[in-house]
Amino acid sequence: MKKIILGLSLIFSFNSCDYLETEPTGNFSIGGFYKNDKEVESALRGVYRALSNNMLYGANMQGIMGLSADLGYESYSRDRTTVGYNYVFSTDERVLSFWRYLYIGIGRANLLLENLDKAPIDEERKKTIRGEALFLRAYNYFMLVKHFRRIPLILASAKSAEPEYTQIDQSAPEEVYEQIIKDMEEAEQLVISAEGLYGGGQINKSAVNGVLARVCLTMAGEPVNRKDMYAKAEFYAKRVITSGLHELNSSYEDIFKRYSEDKYDIQESIWELEYWGDNTVYYSAGMVGRNTGIASPAGSSLGFCQGFLRATGYLYNLYGNGDLRRDWCIGSFTYHTTTLAKQPIADVEIWNRYCAKFRREYELTSPKQNNATPINFPMLRYADVLLMYAEAHFNNAEANVADNDFAIECMNMVRRRGYGLDIHVENTNVDYVYDGLQGFMQEIQEERARELAFELLRKDDLVRWGKYYSQMQYVKNIVPNNYTEAVVYFGNVEEKGVMWPIPSYEMGVNRKLVQNTGW
Amino acid sequence: MKFNIFVKLLQIVLFVGAICLSNKVFAQQKIVKAKVVDTSTGLPLAGVIIQTKGDADSRTVSNKKGEFTIVTDHADILVASYIGYESTEIQVSTFASSLIRLTPSVKSLDEVVVVAYGEQQRKDITGSVSAVNMDDLTKAPVTSFDQALQGRVAGVTLTSNDGQLGEDLNVVIRGSNSVTQSNSPLYVVDGFPTEDFSAGTVNPNDIASISILKDASATAIYGSRGANGVVIIETKSGKTGPIKIGYSGSAGFQDVVKTMDVMDPYNYVKYMLELNPNMSEVFFPSGTSLTLDDYKSKPMIDWQDQLFRKAPMHNHYMSMSGGTQQTRYWISGSVADQNGVIDHSRYTRYSGQMRLDQRISKKLNLDMNLSYTSDRTNGAVASELSESAAQSQQYQSYLMFRVWSYRPVLIDGTTYDDMFEDISSLSNLNPIMSNANELREVNRNNLRFNAKLQYKITPDLSFTVRGGIMQAQSETDRFYNSKTYSGFPSANNGRGVNGSYDIYKRKEMLGEGMFDYKKVYYRDHTISLLGGFSMQSYDIDRAGHTVWHIPYEEFGMAGLSNGRANSIISLIEENRLMSGLARLNYSYKSRYMLTSTFRADGSSKFAKNKRWGYFPSVALAWNLHEETFMQSFKFIDDAKLRVSWGATGNNRVDNYASKGMIGVDEFYSFNNQTPANAARIISLENTKLSWETTYQSNIGYDMNMFNNRVSLTLDLYRKTSEDLLLNADLPYSTGLANAFRNVGSVRNEGLEIALGTVNIHKKDFRWNSDFNISFNRSKVLSLTDGQEKLFSSVRFTGDFNSTNLYVTEVGGPITAFYGLVYDGVYQLSDFETRQGGYTLKPSVPANGIDRNNIQPGDPKFVDFNGDGTITDADNVPIGRALPIHSGGLNNNFEYKNLSLNVFFQWNYGNKIMNANRITLEGNYHNIAINQYASYADRWSMDNQDSNIPRTRAQGPTGFYSDRTLEDGSYVRLKTVQLSYNFSKELLKTLKISNASINIACHNLFTWTNYSGIDPEVSVRNSTLTTGFDYSAYARNRIITAGLKLNL
């Protein structure tokens, strides 16, 4: 009996609390994270990674979400009932993932921003990390507000899953834009300069200024129509130009070959999302050049390309004779399915050509994975900044007239480069001469199409110009009937398509949400 | 005088017995004269049938004084059987008394039932406890007991995904409490409680008893883990006596009960041409004069015939047991080998069990139990999704889909071999070839060791220490070479030839100490007390890797090292539980009884200050027949009323569910440097996370009538689960998808009726029936934060993966089907004819696509919100997902040496989403595949009465509708066993004490309106997503011949 009692008391002698105390292995607890450089840097990389995820720029946005609008249409009949064909439903999985991953990035940024202060790391680095996280969070909101308009604006991490952190009202688009601009302006003060940067992977002052210009231009257009923002747009674009750090790459095609070759060019490519390897060891590759590009067979030395996106005849015809950008943006050949030889396409065949901006052919590593590419994606190019400057300047009621010539010169530099000319030498055959705001706007809209086709800006541009539906209808009417996929793609466009519906999943779990009108 | 005779008789029997034990048995005729009495009352029993085992001719019946005389051999065994009593066997050689005591049988209240931490006489039980009749259960020719359990016990529901080999069934007792977490009961195997139990690890022949604890009085002593009910399994132990050797074995085959009819060559080609007129070149190659009608005479290839086979199986089981007063032992071993009906699938199992009861001293007893099981499952999972396909094509990656949809005819100029090896593209990849080339092998090992040391401190008080360990290991090998769907080099296949290896190890350890006190005070007051503590730990360890682009596929799994490592898994987790428990049983004259239990549990899974939960219960029972006023109801033998209330808990959440976690398993690269880890948020902290508590009330009534010929048990219960542990859906705007929270409340109410009857009890013919039926109704009382509806979807194929197929509504059942209401197809009358085309009338709503594209014969849905088209808003609840009632009817017939067991089982009132019909009776992506035969009747200009959409029908994608929702009610003839006991003459020469042969059938026949393969299906089974059918295959029909021998 005594022995038993002894045994019993032995068993109970160690503290019961210790026995029940278990710590997760393989993961950090939130409270125990951000305690050194390594952890804080990985938290920052997490924010970048969310944006580069395959649900966003990594794959879905590449050709299969209708973002190239009138310039390229999806041709992959199995996708006909998806957003890739402008067939939009509130249950569309890509639309839901788009929403989801942008908010994942926001959540990561929020948590990092809150914990940064207590992190025992170098103060200078802390400053730039804060800037990068602030900018990326704002950029994610920019993407959300453009596509869903009224969205919950969440600027602090959820402390728990209690309703106060989950049931959140939508904010008016204008309010979201104000926050975006506020955060980006703060970020601009914190991040490093582009000067001396090896590549455009890290958020730098030029990237922030350039994107700020884009945000302000967007806010000035539909649906917010804050015309006063043109001034700000002009200001920020000009800041990039006058920094003296940037210059157009003299060769248009070299810009895109460099993405494939993993070479950087901070002068032209101010901000890019970085992809690496082929996902076999580290999951950090994307599908740029795999989804869109000139179709090539699986397992081939070129690397597999699905070729989801075909350029429209409308885009083809926008290019003037001698514009070198045409045959880089739009494939003038196809690869033979077995020999891989380049087979030229008949000149008249202009509605069936592949979007060819990103080409796996130039990837340096081998063998190439079918479904993973290391090709970086341009988020902001200097050419875009120049064009935005011109557009903002002429729309800015308060603009300094003395800058008119400079603004036109900015636009013309881009044009000259497109024709392979010296960008700084006037050329009457190529140069645009200002002919009033209306004519200018027509020209800038077409110039942006020529220069920035398939860089996922087109739909947003058309929407802010208030031209999305009419332009899609215009192209719909010129699509030859025998291009079935294009007919379906344009046929599905509806007026409410300027925005996507709030995903029905989200509506079900956040009961404060109100659906977008028309959806 | 009489006494003297008995003494002499006794001496003779003892003498003979001694000879028998020391020498070889020799036959010698003997007259046995004895009296049969009731064990408990000591009263004589008249009409007891006594016979020599295996010899029906020797029967005799006891007289009014319970006396009988029988002439027998010394070596014989006498069997005494009586209605309402356990049959008793008497070894003549060792029979040393003139009394045969019969114990009331299963149907009687004196039966001993295993309950939590001990056993009790049925008459003293206050809770709701069902004992499974193991005799009946083991008549089914199955390898694990769960496959035969459905319909056997009121209130216990078993569901399985489909007929997959080696797969455990999902057991739910009295309806699901938990909305998102597991509802499987707690299993207590030889005293070892575990949530992770695989029925395949215990051989049904080794099981002595299965008790199912249902109400809170019975389960609350398991506290935080008792809310889902408890299944107590006790394995057999040896009995004092000479060595006994038993063998039972069976051999037979399995085949499929049903295959689907697919379109024949003519209808297939006709459809292909309608789908795509360009295909005419394929079917009518230039240079031939083939016409469509020629395909009427072309032989059809039914690929199901190629996939399915009549698969042989055999099982063998052997046991050896015996013992002395000091030592008792039971040793058994078994082999099961079962080929699956799907080619290349197989299940093999080896198991061994050893049990030793050793009396160390008068006060000290040791009981040890060791069991080991090793099994292997080979073969593809028919309803498994392969990730190699593009999202929108995932529905094509399932085995059965590909078998059904594959081209049923040879095209001119090709041979069967061409077609078999046609790997030109994924959708043309021959499913039979793919299946034959896939490797999927699961090897499981399971070890269980239990030791119990019992020390009797005083005659009334004992202390028991128990320790145990359970170790489970499961290894999965997968290898897909270039002739498989997953490894085939196609545009979407980024993996090439690929394979994976995964190992999962689980270790559970238990230590407990228990005081047990029992004393009778003043003759009528019986008090028993139990008190103790328990500690349990649970560790899991998982590791694995997936390898892509394996260059030398001929090496198989050994070639994984040559490929490129894709993902590496390593996971280590643990949880701990610490408990104290107590129980009081009080009985006054076995007439009024009280049971009260209490348990405190602390679990590491929950937030620090929310770790401890307290679970009380109380129950009262009243044996009415002991009362004088009941004496006038002579026909009532026993009657008992039971009332109970108690609280139980549920802790089925992730091991670190209350912790906020950050993982660093993503990667990002700057400036082309080797990618470095990127952090992601895994979960939010929940400092309030605690138990889910279920309060259950139960009223029960047990009655035995007409000399125990009729026994009835009624139970009425209501259980309310509060603070549900819900893996709540979060708005994605939080950056996360789910979080564990204690929110919501669910109520289950039900009625269970079990009726046992002895219909006929004649000397040569006996017929017993057992019937049970249970009704359960669930109702959601509240969900997350005033949320009115909770939607659930199943992973099936890209277009549908995020479509809500189930809805859980406050005030409604825990889950119900949700979708569009099908309104037939658009008929010509819905259109205006314009320029030779059809334009939908403005008054007729569109079906979700552009109304200009809608044509006659396209699917039409009810536009509930009247907005003129079909959107999400038109989804409504479309049918019950859970049955209204289910039950079983078991019949045992005995005629002389023959006995027949016939068991029916049913489910009534639930629906099934037959998603097969979305792709195979409508082809929603309009690709070139074959369809079910029913699709030949689709709508066309010549067949306008049809409700099945036309060829190339256009409708919204990713919507479920009630077109494919079907009644899932069924009645199944589950088990039939016919056995014959050999007569003793024959056996005597073979020196076998008894032997029987049997023929057993399982899943023999099913009556149902369900058009799919099998109504017992749920391929994405969870509480909220039950009854979904896609690419499932049928439960096998098993027919075996068996032999049982006892030496």
Side-chain angles (χ1 to χ4, degrees), chain B residues 533-752:
Chain B
F533 64 92
S534 162
M535 294 198 326
Q536 200 162 350
S537 71
Y538 177 105
D539 295 81
I540 57 170
D541 187 345
R542 192 183 153 201
H545 47 260
T546 305
V547 178
W548 290 3
H549 300 286
I550 298 165
Y552 304 103
E553 62 181 21
E554 56 270 41
F555 293 151
M557 288 300 288
L560 254 57
S561 49
N562 302 328
R564 282 197 261 172
N566 178 247
S567 65
I568 294 170
I569 300 162
S570 73
L571 182 86
I572 298 172
E573 292 191 358
E574 62 177 344
N575 75 59
R576 308 215 186 287
L577 185 77
M578 190 176 220
S579 325
L581 58 96
R583 177 171 63 201
L584 161 72
N585 281 318
Y586 167 76
S587 159
Y588 175 70
K589 285 184 169 174
S590 274
R591 189 182 300 177
Y592 310 110
M593 286 149 303
L594 166 91
T595 303
S596 183
T597 68
F598 180 79
R599 177 158 178 149
D601 270 338
S603 163
S604 65
K605 288 181 182 179
F606 296 106
K608 206 162 187 172
N609 46 354
K610 296 279 183 180
R611 246 168 217 166
W612 285 87
Y614 306 96
F615 306 93
S617 87
V618 62
L620 296 164
W622 177 22
N623 272 324
L624 292 142
H625 61 277
E626 305 273 337
E627 302 289 345
T628 45
F629 66 81
M630 289 293 282
Q631 300 304 316
S632 50
F633 303 100
K634 288 277 184 226
F635 64 96
I636 294 177
D637 307 320
D638 297 300
K640 182 165 75 171
L641 188 64
R642 297 175 272 113
V643 183
S644 73
W645 174 90
T648 48
N650 183 0
N651 69 345
R652 307 286 176 90
V653 283
D654 293 355
N655 293 319
Y656 307 112
S658 65
K659 308 254 195 309
M661 289 193 290
I662 285 181
V664 284
D665 48 358
E666 292 190 358
F667 293 93
Y668 195 75
S669 153
F670 287 112
N671 297 333
N672 284 336
Q673 288 161 358
T674 306
N677 298 75
R680 70 184 175 105
I681 305 169
I682 296 174
S683 58
L684 294 172
E685 191 177 12
N686 185 340
T687 54
K688 294 177 183 165
L689 196 70
S690 193
W691 312 104
E692 165 183 320
T693 310
T694 297
Y695 301 95
Q696 184 173 193
S697 314
N698 191 89
I699 299 175
Y701 185 69
D702 303 312
M703 186 161 68
N704 282 9
M705 291 169 289
F706 307 113
N707 198 16
N708 290 326
R709 285 186 76 137
V710 176
S711 67
L712 174 74
T713 296
L714 288 174
D715 273 288
L716 198 62
Y717 62 87
R718 168 183 277 191
K719 50 177 190 169
T720 308
S721 303
E722 289 174 4
D723 301 327
L724 289 182
L725 276 176
L726 197 73
N727 194 10
D729 286 341
L730 294 183
Y732 287 161
S733 59
T734 56
L736 289 165
N738 301 92
F740 282 107
R741 296 181 58 198
N742 286 105
V743 284
S745 166
V746 167
R747 171 174 293 166
N748 277 278
E749 293 169 319
L751 170 67
E752 293 161 1

Side-chain angles (χ1 to χ4, degrees), chain B residues 154-287:
Chain B
V156 179
T157 316
L158 290 99
T159 49
S160 57
N161 298 2
D162 59 7
Q164 204 69 39
L165 280 179
E167 193 183 323
D168 287 323
L169 275 74
N170 309 295
V171 181
V172 172
I173 297 174
R174 288 189 165 176
S176 301
N177 312 324
S178 200
V179 176
T180 58
Q181 302 307 110
S182 166
N183 277 293
S184 69
L186 178 72
Y187 290 87
V188 182
V189 186
D190 288 328
F192 196 118
T194 179
E195 285 107 331
D196 287 313
F197 174 74
S198 168
T201 62
V202 183
N203 189 300
N205 289 301
D206 279 329
I207 300 176
S209 74
I210 299 177
S211 294
I212 295 178
L213 316 184
K214 298 189 286 196
D215 73 342
S217 161
T219 60
I221 199 150
Y222 289 107
S224 63
R225 300 187 290 175
N228 297 339
V230 180
V231 176
I232 300 186
I233 296 166
E234 287 287 321
T235 58
K236 286 177 179 166
S237 52
K239 293 195 171 97
T240 309
I243 183 166
K244 281 185 180 173
I245 291 174
Y247 165 83
S248 70
S250 67
F253 63 88
Q254 310 178 78
D255 57 3
V256 281
V257 185
K258 185 181 172 187
T259 56
M260 292 305 296
D261 291 333
V262 295
M263 293 203 294
D264 58 23
Y266 168 78
N267 276 308
Y268 167 74
V269 174
K270 181 167 176 273
Y271 175 57
M272 285 299 109
L273 297 175
E274 286 176 23
L275 199 64
N276 184 357
N278 295 338
M279 301 266 276
S280 65
E281 279 175 37
V282 176
F283 298 106
F284 313 125
S286 44

